[in-house]
Amino acid sequence: TDMKNKLIAALFAFSGILVFAACEETNTNSSPPIWYGFRIDPYPAVAGDSLTVTAVQAKKGSLIHATTYKWTLTYNLDKDGINEDTVITVQQNTNYDGISNADPTCRFYVPVNASGRATLSFEAKYAFSGNGYMGTFGNDYNRPEGVRGNITSYSGILDGGAKGSHTFYIQQQ
């Protein structure tokens, strides 16, 4: 029975170590992505073309579920000799960890009579599935070639987000 008690004690000790080790490796902290900026294709933008815009992540976020991306493109449109600002907004909903944590992408059609300065705005809202922490996270400026603009992430206890923009010019064909 003495040997049996030692074996039982050894098993409890070993299982306690396994439980402790498993708890140590579990990350319960949510964090938003860190961003490089935007990739716009084609660049420079040309009136009459479709633009594919991608928000490029430098580091993926973690423990994020419900996610909303809002893209806004503001540009100048010539309507019968009168210039007026035109705004196009696209909203996308996804589950960051469950469906896709890939770089978000949006397509815009730029009308033939668009010209001049344009501004792309991006906003992301994240619902965390873990414990968030208060903070603001700027761009990673070690960005790949062809990435422009700025996106800044922020984080709270229950949710987080990001905001960014880039101004560019639309050329005539």
Side-chain angles (χ1 to χ4, degrees), residues 44-63:
V46 178
D49 281 351
S50 288
L51 289 180
T52 301
V53 182
T54 303
V56 182
Q57 299 173 84
K59 181 181 176 193
K60 304 284 187 186
S62 64
L63 295 176

Side-chain angles (χ1 to χ4, degrees), residues 9-149:
L11 285 173
F12 276 119
F14 182 69
S15 63
I17 290 170
L18 287 178
V19 168
F20 179 74
C23 290
E24 284 295 311
E25 292 181 25
T26 303
N27 180 5
T28 60
N29 294 323
S30 291
S31 61
I34 304 298
W35 302 90
Y36 284 124
F38 302 102
R39 181 172 288 117
I40 300 172
D41 185 40
Y43 198 89
V46 178
D49 281 351
S50 288
L51 289 180
T52 301
V53 182
T54 303
V56 182
Q57 299 173 84
K59 181 181 176 193
K60 304 284 187 186
S62 64
L63 295 176
I64 300 170
H65 53 91
T67 301
T68 301
Y69 298 119
K70 182 179 174 185
W71 304 83
T72 304
L73 181 63
T74 305
Y75 56 89
N76 191 282
L77 194 62
D78 180 5
K79 289 188 174 180
D80 299 323
I82 299 171
N83 290 325
E84 61 182 54
D85 281 341
T86 301
V87 179
I88 301 172
T89 300
V90 176
Q91 183 168 309
Q92 303 163 325
N93 298 307
T94 189
N95 182 318
Y96 187 89
D97 285 336
I99 296 173
S100 176
N101 67 358
D103 293 342
T105 299
C106 187
R107 275 185 84 114
F108 292 100
Y109 173 72
V110 181
V112 175
N113 54 342
S115 65
R117 183 177 158 155
T119 301
L120 170 70
S121 299
F122 172 78
E123 183 176 1
K125 292 185 180 181
Y126 308 109
F128 291 157
S129 53
N131 302 315
Y133 49 92
M134 303 297 285
T136 302
F137 315 94
N139 266 59
D140 183 331
Y141 291 103
N142 249 346
R143 53 179 138 201
E145 186 176 331
V147 175
R148 299 164 169 80

